[in-house]
Amino acid sequence: TAIAITEQPVSVSVPVGYSFTLRCRAQGRTSLQYQWFCQHQSDCRLIPGATNQDLPIIAEQTQLYTCRVNDLHRNAVFSNWVKVEVHQCVARGLPPRLWQGEPVIVLNPSEQRVEVGQPLQLQCAAMGVPAPSYQWYRNGNLLEQQKRKKLWVSHTKVSDSGTYLCCASNSHGEHWTNAVDVHIGRGEILPPSEHSQLFHLVFVLATGKMALLVGNNRYQHHPNLMAPVRDVFELSHLLEHLGFQVVSLLD
């Protein structure tokens, strides 16, 4: 209780060679001293000379950091551990010189074809300062439990088929991955043309109020649009409240 950390350091996700500063601020009844530590794999060590509130870093490898704050009465507290994620190989996703820390996608998910009952894994990654948070969507619908870089389904069902994409966001904005198709089936998976016929059959046989929402955000001669994804998501919720059965598709 003698020492209170008033500003915690924050995790970042940056390209190799990027320069930045971790910050820690604290208040106490006496003067305070700071000491930074880092951990890579299982090796935790004190950083020589890192005794200031600010820790300047040139990103070289992914590591964890924490700051110890102590007073003259031998009271001590540690800040939160934060992760400095360093991307060694960055091609198109390399941020411009005027990058302000907004999310930049450096790894997009890839199309998957999986048999029913088998695991599904989709992966993405983004740079950002602070480190981005992640949210996955299927057919424009938010997946409540999928908030990590890796989307994992241990035992897939046919209903897990669809178009997936992920939103990476931080305090500077958001960026979306490419949309990819995931096909879940038994044995031989139907080609896209037969999928279209199956969807058509479903709509012909359906009864009651149904709504088909299609959000197009990828165009051949125009930059990708992000708004259609959010529009489909918001409209699907509205229509469900009005008693519609909603099917949401992207591109």
Side-chain angles (χ1 to χ4, degrees):
T1 58
I3 304 173
I5 294 182
T6 57
E7 181 180 349
Q8 295 278 2
V10 298
S11 296
V12 301
S13 181
V14 296
V16 65
Y18 186 78
S19 300
F20 63 99
T21 300
L22 291 179
R23 293 167 50 90
C24 181
R25 298 289 186 272
Q27 292 179 343
R29 297 171 184 171
T30 68
S31 60
L32 301 176
Q33 297 175 329
Y34 294 78
Q35 177 62 60
W36 289 88
F37 296 79
C38 68
Q39 178 176 332
H40 177 62
Q41 297 177 348
S42 59
D43 179 28
C44 181
R45 60 183 177 84
L46 175 151
I47 304 175
T51 56
N52 295 322
Q53 295 174 318
D54 294 341
L55 176 66
I57 295 176
I58 299 176
E60 295 180 356
Q61 62 181 350
T62 297
Q63 295 188 121
L64 300 175
Y65 291 84
T66 187
C67 184
R68 183 189 66 201
V69 186
N70 62 274
D71 62 16
L72 301 181
H73 301 297
R74 297 186 179 179
N75 298 308
V77 296
F78 282 83
S79 72
N80 296 339
W81 282 95
V82 295
K83 184 176 184 179
V84 174
E85 183 179 35
V86 179
H87 297 272
Q88 298 290 341
C89 300
V90 180
R92 288 191 312 153
L94 184 66
R97 184 174 300 177
L98 298 179
W99 186 49
Q100 298 298 310
E102 65 276 10
V104 176
I105 301 295
V106 295
L107 176 64
N108 280 287
S110 57
E111 181 177 350
Q112 302 285 330
R113 291 180 177 270
V114 180
E115 289 193 11
V116 171
Q118 296 300 308
L120 166 66
Q121 177 177 289
L122 295 174
Q123 187 172 356
C124 71
M127 297 187 296
V129 180
S133 58
Y134 296 87
Q135 178 61 65
W136 287 88
Y137 295 78
R138 182 182 67 240
N139 296 337
N141 298 315
L142 182 145
L143 300 173
E144 289 284 353
Q145 306 303 318
Q146 302 291 354
K147 297 179 180 292
R148 299 176 180 271
K149 287 187 294 184
K150 291 183 179 180
L151 177 147
W152 173 258
V153 179
S154 57
H155 295 86
T156 54
K157 306 181 294 294
V158 173
S159 58
D160 291 318
S161 295
T163 302
Y164 286 75
L165 77 170
C166 186
C167 177
S169 62
N170 63 13
S171 55
H172 296 290
E174 62 183 31
H175 201 170
W176 297 74
T177 66
N178 294 339
V180 296
D181 292 327
V182 172
H183 309 277
I184 312 293
R186 292 182 176 87
E188 185 179 353
I189 299 174
L190 295 175
S193 61
E194 295 185 39
H195 272 296
S196 300
Q197 296 173 13
L198 180 59
F199 274 121
H200 179 72
L201 180 61
V202 169
F203 293 130
V204 169
L205 297 177
T207 59
K209 296 192 295 184
M210 289 197 69
L212 171 62
L213 300 179
V214 180
N216 290 320
N217 68 341
R218 286 192 290 182
Y219 292 88
Q220 185 175 1
H221 301 294
H222 192 282
N224 290 2
L225 302 179
M226 292 299 110
V229 178
R230 293 194 292 272
D231 292 344
V232 166
F233 173 63
E234 293 174 1
L235 282 172
S236 64
H237 274 283
L238 176 61
L239 290 168
E240 285 170 357
H241 284 304
L242 295 175
F244 282 83
Q245 182 180 352
V246 180
V247 176
S248 302
L249 303 174
L250 296 176
D251 295 310

